[in-house]
Amino acid sequence: MALKVLVVGAGSIGRRHHDNLQTLGAVARLRGWRGYGAAGLQADLRDHDAVVVATATDVRAEVICAAADRGLPVYVEKPLSFLPAGVDAISTCCAAVAERSMVGYMMRWHPAFRELARRDLSDIFRFSFAIGHDVTQWRQNWSFAQSYAAQEKGGGVLLDLCHELDMAQCLFPGLQPDEVLSQGHAGYPGVDLASFITLRQREGGVAGSVAMDYLTPRLHRRAVLHGTRQSFDFDFAAQIYRVQDLAGERVLDLPLERNAMFLDAMRAFLALVAGQSPDPVEHLPRLDRVIASAKLISEAWQNRRFIGLIDKELT
């Protein structure tokens, strides 16, 4: 019998998950949170086996905990919460279903990240991750001002593009934010348009940075790792992946079909819901295994220090 999955949140990511669930043979129902609310949610939960939560971040906990209270596994879009206390609260309410639940860190299925995850990185001493693109160019017929991204609670670029923080934590466990410098906008108080985070391991000698922005004209996404035996320069946007070691430089062929990552993540979630073992991946983002990453993201967001304002038209 096909699994029945409720998708709460009808934005672009919710619609993608809904369509992918149907492609994978599940029975999916898509509900927008606006005009739906707690009463509609409770009525629908009775008829489903699992819930995908793709709402705005500030209302996510209510949906997650309502599903968990009924024993339903959840797939939660990143970030889990924008506050450390929120991460703790969700972790507590989901304890009984956490081993069958996931957080949407879909970059863990990216072939280039998986290449890094398989390697011995014990010689790496410094790293940097960077991502950015003009937010007004992301989608057609889309308004920044009316989106989750423009909300003071749960919006901004650090939360929106937090995959880079998650990837850094996966590769170098125990990272903590040293300093978070952000630039905002006069029209959107408390919303960061660009953030630069310096990070270091609590134990170990690795330090690095993660930068993200809503501003640059062309998409850029890059990871650079420096070690004593090897170095990596991975350009995710151009799909050019360079490795240097004592033998010289090589360029790796790691082709990507973007929706394949989303399909793989949802396939893994359906396996967990059914009580099966998902196809192996180096860092399966099961909810009970991602708390350190979720905490890092929320701590970075909470510790932002705004150092200036960006003069850019955002509508």
Side-chain angles (χ1 to χ4, degrees), residues 110-119 121 223 225 230-236 238-245 248-256:
H110 193 294
F113 175 73
R114 294 191 68 180
E115 176 69 25
L116 292 174
R118 294 186 188 108
R119 288 178 174 261
L121 302 179
L225 282 58
Q230 58 190 334
S231 65
F232 304 88
D233 187 343
F234 279 19
D235 186 332
F236 292 90
Q239 297 191 45
I240 299 173
Y241 308 108
R242 291 189 169 91
V243 181
Q244 290 183 331
D245 56 25
E249 179 176 287
R250 301 181 306 284
V251 178
L252 306 181
D253 182 23
L254 299 169
L256 168 71

Side-chain angles (χ1 to χ4, degrees), residues 74-92:
V74 291
Y75 179 105
V76 185
E77 261 310 312
K78 54 77 185 168
L80 193 60
S81 175
F82 57 92
L83 292 173
V87 173
D88 290 337
I90 290 171
S91 178
T92 298

Side-chain angles (χ1 to χ4, degrees), residues 44-315:
D44 279 343
L45 288 176
R46 292 193 295 265
D47 301 321
H48 291 85
D49 302 303
V51 180
V52 171
V53 185
T55 64
T57 311
D58 60 335
V59 298
R60 207 162 277 173
E62 181 178 355
V63 182
I64 295 167
C65 292
D69 285 346
R70 288 185 172 268
L72 300 182
V74 291
Y75 179 105
V76 185
E77 261 310 312
K78 54 77 185 168
L80 193 60
S81 175
F82 57 92
L83 292 173
V87 173
D88 290 337
I90 290 171
S91 178
T92 298
C93 81
C94 288
V97 297
E99 293 184 3
R100 295 187 295 139
S101 298
M102 279 176 48
V103 178
Y105 295 131
M106 59 88 179
M107 283 296 290
R108 298 188 183 198
W109 279 273
H110 193 294
F113 175 73
R114 294 191 68 180
E115 176 69 25
L116 292 174
R118 294 186 188 108
R119 288 178 174 261
D120 176 6
L121 302 179
S122 59
D123 68 309
I124 301 297
F125 57 86
R126 187 172 74 248
F127 66 85
S128 65
F129 288 83
I131 181 172
H133 191 207
D134 182 348
V135 71
T136 64
Q137 298 181 31
W138 282 14
R139 305 182 191 96
Q140 291 184 338
N141 304 317
W142 181 79
S143 167
F144 174 83
Q146 296 177 15
S147 74
Y148 66 88
Q151 298 177 11
E152 182 177 2
K153 292 185 177 181
V157 72
L158 190 151
L159 298 178
D160 209 357
L161 303 183
C162 64
H163 285 298
E164 267 56 25
L165 284 166
D166 175 61
M167 288 191 286
Q169 182 72 289
C170 282
L171 298 178
F172 308 107
L175 289 175
Q176 61 183 12
D178 264 349
E179 188 172 39
V180 185
L181 303 178
S182 298
Q183 284 136 326
H185 192 285
Y188 303 93
V191 175
D192 55 314
L193 302 191
S195 283
F196 181 81
I197 306 106
T198 55
L199 302 150
R200 62 183 173 87
Q201 283 182 313
R202 292 181 179 88
E203 298 179 6
V206 182
S209 64
V210 172
M212 60 267 285
D213 70 75
Y214 277 152
L215 304 166
T216 44
R218 293 179 61 85
L219 171 66
H220 67 93
R221 189 170 210 172
R222 196 169 183 178
V224 180
L225 282 58
H226 296 283
T228 58
R229 301 187 303 270
Q230 58 190 334
S231 65
F232 304 88
D233 187 343
F234 279 19
D235 186 332
F236 292 90
Q239 297 191 45
I240 299 173
Y241 308 108
R242 291 189 169 91
V243 181
Q244 290 183 331
D245 56 25
L246 296 178
E249 179 176 287
R250 301 181 306 284
V251 178
L252 306 181
D253 182 23
L254 299 169
L256 168 71
E257 198 290 296
R258 187 168 182 268
N259 194 51
M261 296 187 296
F262 291 92
L263 280 168
D264 287 343
M266 200 51 61
R267 187 180 291 110
F269 177 55
L270 290 176
L272 291 176
V273 173
Q276 301 168 356
S277 296
D279 292 339
V281 68
E282 289 70 24
H283 296 282
L284 178 70
R286 221 171 65 182
L287 197 151
D288 59 324
R289 298 176 179 173
V290 300
I291 299 306
S293 183
K295 276 286 189 71
L296 174 65
I297 293 163
S298 62
E299 288 169 358
W301 188 87
Q302 188 177 48
N303 290 310
R304 292 170 303 161
R305 179 162 65 91
F306 284 86
I307 59 171
L309 298 176
I310 299 295
D311 182 16
K312 177 178 175 61
E313 183 177 356
L314 293 172
T315 57

